[in-house]
Every structure is written in structure tokens, then in C-alpha cells.
Amino acid sequence: MTKVLVATEKPFAKAAVDGIREIVEKAGFELALLEKYTDVNDLYKAVEDVDALIVRSDKVTKEVIDHAKNLKIVVRAGAGFDNLDLEACTARKIVAMNTPGQNSNAVAELAIGFMVFMARTNFTPVAGTELKGKRIGIHAYGNVGRLVGEKAKAMGMEVMALDPFIPAEKIEADGVKVAKDVNDLYSSCDYVSLHVPATEQTKNSINYELLSKMPKGACLVNTARKEVINEADMAKLLAEREDFKYITDIAATNDEELKKFAPRYFSTPKKMGAQTKEANLNAGLAAARQIVDFIKNGVTKFQVNR
Ligand code: 3PG
């Protein structure tokens, strides 16, 4: 019998697990669950006899693949797939997929919440500022970025975006100004909301030179990946500029060092952008359906490796 494993160090909401089970069992497959594991050996053991794997930010390394002798498909229930070793998957002819767009609204809502939190000085009684009339720069205008722009407009913000992979006309059609380049984006905006994936090109790219272009009182909002930030540069800038703020959903590697800049630095204890019941249901159920479609009908839509 085809066996599907859901391996989530940060578990889905129960409703999502129930929904995944229903889809998997209706297809005549078996569901196994490994939640809140702290030892990678538990993951190695759990994947030994599975045909399909659903994960979140869980790292699917070459070692995991090596232990998964029957694995045919791995689906990252979410957008970013930097946690999957695609080379190792391809070498074993394992199909790797993501579920783009399924958790975007949750992440976009958090980005807006982050801005309000920083504008209101971490919800303390100190007089803060309003978002209305401020300019936000959306760095990468994909599923999440577009939703952040839409919600920011509703807050009365002026929206600017930069995305070399999306035609300018498409961005402008949303009533969003297109930045000339990355310097234009960062120097023009009071808030920059990051939505770039972590790739070899983007890692460490948000550096001192770029961030120091942001205007007085500016705030960087990160619901993307910590790897895109040059963390030493961030520490330098926060130390030099008493007006600069950084809020992140992915605690920096030097989190303890940066915490001394609170309330201008804030990190959530665990990445929570996609952690809503709705996002869990959307992404989890999509992952289960994609697995059934692949195993039964060979459908490879959303495959991210070749
Ligand atoms: C994503 O890439 O979809 C988000 O970062 C969500 O990650 P999570 O599933 O680990 O919360």
C-alpha cells in the first residue's frame, strides 16, 4: 500500500491533519505522522518505508533522501523550497513540489501586523506613528508581495514594488509604482517588506549599503528568509542608526546580539507567518491532493526540480 508521511517539526492545525488523512485514505493510501520531532534520526527512521512525504520547513537533506528508499515524491506544503535538496531528489528521480499561493494570505496579514506593531512601538503606550500616508516597498511581487500591497493600500499606504521576473505593466495594473531598481526601492520607502526567496543570488544581499539608503525612521519587515539578510551589516546599522527598525519572523542567527536593540529589533520565537488554521488547511490539503494526483495520474504540476 502507498504510504504517505507527514513530517512536521512545527505541526499543522488538527483540522489540516484530519483533512490530509481523509484525502490520503480516500485514495486508498496509508497516512503516517511524525510531529514535533527534535531528533533527525526520528525523521530518518520514519521515511524508511514511505512513498510520499509532506513537509513544511523541515529539511529534506541528502541524508533524509538516502534513508527514504521508496520515496517517489516530496511536497513542501508552502512556497519556499530552499529546505529541499533538489539535486538529491533529482538524482533519485524523486519529484519535488511546493504548493504556491496556498499560505500567502497568512504571511501577508502578518507582514501588515508587523508594521502596525513597529509603528506602535511594540504595543507600548509611547506615542507611535500611523501607516497611513507612508510608503511601502514590496521587494519581490509574488503571491505574498501582491497581497501585502493590496492590504497596505487599504491602510492608506502608497505602494511601490520591485520584481525583475514580473512585467512592469502587470504591477502597475494593481495601482503599484514600479521601482527603477533596488536602490530606488530602498531609498524611497519608509517600510520595505521582503518577499525574496533564499537563493545563491539573494543570500546576504540585503546589506549595509542597501539598508543605509532607507530614509529616517525606516523599518525593514522580513517574513521571507533570514539568509537574505547580511546579519553583521544589520547589527552595524542598528548600532549606528537609532531611528532604524527591523522586525523579522525568522530570528536572526545573531538574535541575542540584535535583541539589545529592542524595541527597534523584534523577532518571533518561531516562524509563524504561515501558522494559521486556514493556511495549514490550504497548503496541507493541496499537498495531499498533489500527491494523490501524481501517484494515480502522473500529474507533475508544481514540480520544482527537473
Ligand atoms: C513558506 O515558504 O511557505 C513559508 O515560509 C512557511 O513556512 P512554514 O510552513 O514552515 O511555516
Side-chain angles (χ1 to χ4, degrees):
M1 192 194 270
T2 299
K3 189 168 176 184
V4 181
L5 173 71
V6 174
T8 46
E9 180 268 321
K10 181 178 63 190
F12 287 123
K14 187 182 176 301
V17 177
D18 291 347
I20 292 170
R21 183 179 301 283
E22 204 183 310
I23 292 169
V24 167
E25 290 180 355
K26 208 168 152 201
F29 302 166
E30 179 191 347
L31 185 82
L33 206 54
L34 176 71
E35 292 181 322
K36 292 187 188 169
Y37 59 94
T38 49
D39 184 346
V40 74
N41 288 303
D42 293 343
L43 180 60
Y44 293 161
K45 199 165 169 25
V47 296
E48 264 168 12
D49 61 344
V50 305
D51 302 279
L53 176 62
I54 296 176
V55 292
R56 298 187 61 177
S57 288
D58 308 76
K59 286 195 171 46
V60 180
T61 58
K62 182 172 183 311
E63 289 69 35
V64 174
I65 301 287
D66 287 345
H67 282 82
K69 301 278 179 238
N70 299 337
L71 194 65
K72 295 157 190 72
I73 175 167
V74 51
V75 182
R76 192 282 190 242
F81 46 88
D82 46 312
N83 54 320
L84 309 182
D85 186 331
L86 295 185
E87 250 178 60
C89 288
T90 304
R92 279 268 316 279
K93 296 192 169 37
I94 293 165
V95 170
M97 294 186 188
N98 66 348
T99 65
Q102 300 290 350
N103 58 18
S104 306
N105 188 66
V107 181
E109 284 190 10
L110 187 74
I112 299 289
F114 270 4
M115 288 195 289
V116 174
F117 182 73
M118 293 308 263
R120 295 302 181 92
T121 331
N122 300 16
F123 295 155
T124 57
V126 179
T129 55
E130 298 181 17
L131 299 184
K132 187 176 169 187
K134 306 295 184 301
R135 187 181 282 168
I136 178 174
I138 315 273
H139 195 166
Y141 198 70
N143 290 317
V144 182
R146 192 173 37 80
L147 285 171
V148 171
E150 192 181 294
K151 293 172 200 306
K153 260 197 272 167
M155 306 288 284
M157 298 184 86
E158 201 183 314
V159 184
M160 199 175 196
L162 181 74
D163 197 319
F165 301 103
I166 298 182
E169 310 82 74
K170 220 173 157 196
I171 300 176
E172 280 159 359
D174 291 346
V176 172
K177 194 169 174 212
V178 177
K180 285 199 280 292
D181 54 29
V182 79
N183 293 329
D184 185 27
L185 188 80
Y186 280 72
S187 61
S188 312
C189 294
D190 306 292
Y191 291 85
V192 167
S193 190
L194 273 173
H195 303 290
V196 287
T199 64
E200 284 319 309
Q201 289 74 42
T202 62
K203 277 179 192 165
N204 284 314
S205 64
I206 311 302
N207 56 21
Y208 183 84
E209 203 199 330
L210 189 60
L211 292 170
S212 53
K213 293 193 162 60
M214 290 187 80
K216 194 167 187 308
C219 178
L220 182 74
V221 177
N222 188 359
T223 54
R225 292 288 182 271
K226 69 175 177 182
E227 290 80 4
V228 301
I229 306 287
N230 182 318
E231 295 183 344
D233 283 9
M234 177 57 80
K236 181 171 181 242
L237 192 76
L238 282 165
E240 277 177 21
R241 273 183 54 177
E242 286 190 8
D243 63 296
F244 187 83
K245 307 183 195 90
Y246 176 42
I247 181 160
T248 179
D249 190 30
I250 322 92
T253 312
N254 57 349
D255 193 49
E256 282 312 309
E257 184 193 345
L258 296 190
K259 270 187 176 147
K260 68 175 185 254
F261 299 111
R264 292 187 294 115
Y265 172 76
F266 184 87
S267 63
T268 51
K270 201 157 204 161
K271 189 163 70 143
M272 53 174 280
Q275 197 58 328
T276 64
K277 182 179 166 186
E278 293 88 338
N280 286 181
L281 269 169
N282 292 342
L285 268 49
R289 286 193 194 105
Q290 287 172 213
I291 285 172
V292 173
D293 259 12
F294 171 72
I295 303 230
K296 289 206 181 263
N297 309 313
V299 177
T300 52
K301 194 175 171 193
F302 304 120
Q303 182 170 359
V304 293
N305 66 329
R306 293 291 162 192

